Amino acid sequence: MRPNRKRVVSLVPSLTEAVAVSAPGLLVGVTDWCTHPASELAGVARIGGTKNPDVRAIAALRPDLVIANEEENRAPDLAQLRAAGVEVLVTEVRGLPQALRELDRVLVGALGLTRPGWLADAEGAWARVEPDAERRAFVPIWRRPWMVLGRDTFAGDLLARLGVRNVYAGHAERYPRVAVAELAAAGCDLVVLPDEPYRFTAEDGPEAFPGLPAALVSGRHLTWYGPSLAQAPAVLSRALRGAG
């Protein structure tokens, strides 16, 4: 029997986009950080941030399902939702294969949708990737303090498939704090600077690593697992090749 879930709240921007594109009108609540697709989210209730959702507001929307992620959302908030009688589906995404499986689990398994064409397009796009010659890099995601991608991350997996070896991929932490002097002395070929969660720009980020080529990349294409995955190989490859 196919699920009959017609009212969905998403606490994850990536999954918000995936649901909105695949089944317009299904979402009744999303976070303040959910931005895509703007046309489908214009009339949808905002229920706070990913780390501080308004549990009462979510329960009042009477959702059939809340979609969450074990990294982006806090366990106590999800426990409160369950205590309020709300069904919560928690995803885990640490790499591309797992992201594709989880998208299938949410869209087809939990929501009973026909498998969307964009998901097949994403699989095909990444299957065709031919990585460039390997380059050593670090990937800041924040400054003040500086934080970088460490072990076991979705973004790190995407970059590895494009020929970028994260020198902190073996770190004990997933998002370690590293002093800027250590980063500058890491002996890398490249620094990769996404525009989210911290918005690195040509004027904010590269100046900290003089003489090191900097690739300014789309954070959505590097960190979101949804329809943007189909364009991500081409978008990220162009940014990496254009590093200067």
Side-chain angles (χ1 to χ4, degrees):
M1 181 179 296
R2 297 179 74 84
N4 184 30
R5 290 167 170 144
K6 297 182 179 180
R7 298 179 62 81
V8 177
V9 170
S10 172
L11 303 182
V12 187
S14 299
L15 298 177
T16 293
E17 183 179 21
V19 174
V21 169
S22 305
L26 206 59
L27 290 167
V28 296
V30 297
T31 75
D32 298 338
W33 299 104
C34 296
T35 56
H36 290 73
S39 59
E40 295 296 333
L41 301 180
V44 178
R46 298 289 174 164
I47 47 75
T50 56
K51 305 297 185 186
N52 58 343
D54 187 332
V55 172
R56 289 186 179 181
I58 294 171
L61 290 170
R62 296 178 291 105
D64 301 310
L65 184 69
V66 171
I67 304 168
N69 176 264
E70 52 88 28
E71 178 178 54
E72 294 202 45
N73 308 120
R74 302 186 320 129
D77 296 323
L78 304 183
Q80 286 184 47
L81 285 168
R82 292 190 178 100
V86 177
E87 183 178 357
V88 180
L89 184 156
V90 182
T91 59
E92 178 182 279
V93 175
R94 302 291 178 92
L96 178 63
Q98 190 177 28
L100 296 171
R101 290 194 301 270
E102 290 289 67
L103 286 165
D104 223 325
R105 181 166 76 100
V106 170
L107 299 172
V108 180
L111 300 181
L113 305 178
T114 300
R115 197 171 196 266
W118 62 259
L119 191 48
D121 292 342
E123 289 176 326
W126 282 99
R128 293 189 295 272
V129 164
E130 295 183 3
D132 292 335
E134 183 179 276
R135 286 181 287 178
R136 290 163 45 86
F138 56 90
V139 190
I141 57 167
W142 204 258
R143 68 182 301 177
R144 305 182 193 96
W146 286 92
M147 299 175 67
V148 299
L149 292 184
R151 63 170 180 84
D152 198 23
T153 66
F154 172 72
D157 184 38
L158 295 195
L159 289 171
R161 293 169 188 273
L162 297 170
V164 176
R165 183 164 76 83
N166 175 16
V167 297
Y168 290 97
H171 198 281
E173 299 177 26
R174 297 186 68 213
Y175 303 103
R177 296 185 182 189
V178 184
V180 68
E182 179 182 330
L183 294 174
C188 290
D189 307 305
L190 182 71
V191 53
V192 179
L193 297 169
D195 61 11
E196 62 175 81
Y198 185 91
R199 188 173 180 78
F200 287 106
T201 67
E203 292 74 37
D204 186 356
E207 83 290 342
F209 311 102
L212 186 63
L216 294 165
V217 304
S218 163
R220 176 166 163 260
H221 290 91
L222 180 63
T223 64
W224 288 36
Y225 35 92
S228 59
L229 274 175
Q231 294 79 42
V235 171
L236 295 174
S237 291
R238 283 196 300 271
L240 293 169
R241 289 168 184 162

